[in-house]
Amino acid sequence: MLQFYKPNKSVKGSAASFSLNSKKGSVFVQIIKQTGYDEAKRLGSFKDGKQVSIQLNQIEIGAIIDVLEHQTEFKTVHKTEKFTTGINFTPYIKDGKQLGYGLSVNRSEGENKDSWLIGFNFHEAVVVREWLKFALEHIFTADYSADKKKAEEYLKKNEGKQEQKREEPTPKQEPEDEIIL
């Protein structure tokens, strides 16, 4: 699991966690909104903050890696019967200068709309990129292991069937041409 904790004094911060589910071949990202800030302790609070959870498939994971390596943009929409969720992972640019990257999630359910945002500086972005590559590698390894196990079970199950009586065809003997003198 990869986690980021980004509170601020204006109580507009977020916390995010990235978790791997190799069986589902995906990464889950959960973002929670900040709900308070203790000035004396310089500590943000996220208790009872609004949360959103998104599931990223392998192609979407690759698209985020592409953003981090080539400063492109990734935008997609996930729709269910209940929600429409917009997901954006883009470079964060202020005053014409790139300062990092941002992940925003916008969810609507009928008239109810909400959004979550978390930013990553360049150092954090390297960690996100490498963790996503690590996650993809584990997804691929899990897929390979499952495929290999199925293939071994198939071969074991069908082992005897292939070795069943294999009769060699007997060559047909052609009648010899008779030579008549």
Side-chain angles (χ1 to χ4, degrees):
M1 181 178 288
L2 179 63
Q3 296 180 321
F4 294 91
Y5 173 75
K6 303 193 131 206
N8 58 43
K9 291 179 183 182
S10 61
V11 190
K12 292 183 179 180
S14 299
S17 65
F18 292 74
S19 59
L20 167 65
N21 187 323
S22 56
K23 286 186 179 181
K24 289 190 175 187
S26 56
V27 165
F28 287 87
V29 181
Q30 185 176 34
I31 304 173
I32 185 169
K33 291 182 178 186
Q34 183 180 351
T35 57
Y37 190 79
D38 184 332
E39 186 68 48
K41 294 180 182 177
R42 299 183 61 168
L43 187 66
S45 171
F46 293 88
K47 184 176 180 183
D48 299 325
K50 280 195 169 188
Q51 300 180 46
V52 67
S53 183
I54 57 173
Q55 180 178 357
L56 302 172
N57 65 34
Q58 295 170 32
I59 302 303
E60 293 167 330
I61 295 166
I64 291 173
I65 293 169
D66 186 50
V67 172
L68 295 168
E69 292 180 348
H70 301 105
Q71 288 68 48
T72 59
E73 291 187 352
F74 169 64
K75 297 180 179 188
T76 191
V77 174
H78 291 184
K79 288 187 178 185
T80 66
E81 289 181 24
K82 196 173 182 182
F83 300 111
T84 299
T85 305
I87 303 165
N88 299 316
F89 196 96
T90 60
Y92 173 63
I93 299 172
K94 186 176 181 181
D95 299 326
K97 184 177 179 185
Q98 184 177 351
L99 302 176
Y101 297 88
L103 171 60
S104 66
V105 178
N106 303 296
R107 177 165 282 173
S108 61
E109 178 183 12
E111 296 296 315
N112 299 325
K113 295 180 181 181
D114 213 338
S115 61
W116 293 260
L117 174 67
I118 188 159
F120 304 99
N121 65 36
F122 291 111
H123 302 137
E124 293 164 335
V126 169
V127 174
V128 170
R129 182 191 68 209
E130 294 305 310
W131 190 89
L132 290 173
K133 287 180 176 183
F134 166 83
L136 273 180
E137 184 66 31
H138 277 273
I139 291 168
F140 297 154
T141 301
D143 286 349
Y144 172 76
S145 295
D147 289 347
K148 184 178 176 186
K149 183 178 178 182
K150 285 179 188 175
E152 288 169 350
E153 289 170 356
Y154 175 83
L155 289 174
K156 187 174 182 178
K157 179 180 175 183
N158 294 303
E159 189 175 306
K161 292 180 183 178
Q162 291 179 353
E163 293 179 12
Q164 287 178 351
K165 299 179 185 177
R166 287 188 175 178
E167 293 183 22
E168 293 292 323
T170 55
K172 288 186 178 179
Q173 290 190 341
E174 298 290 324
E176 291 183 30
D177 289 337
E178 291 182 32
I179 300 179
I180 301 180
L181 296 173

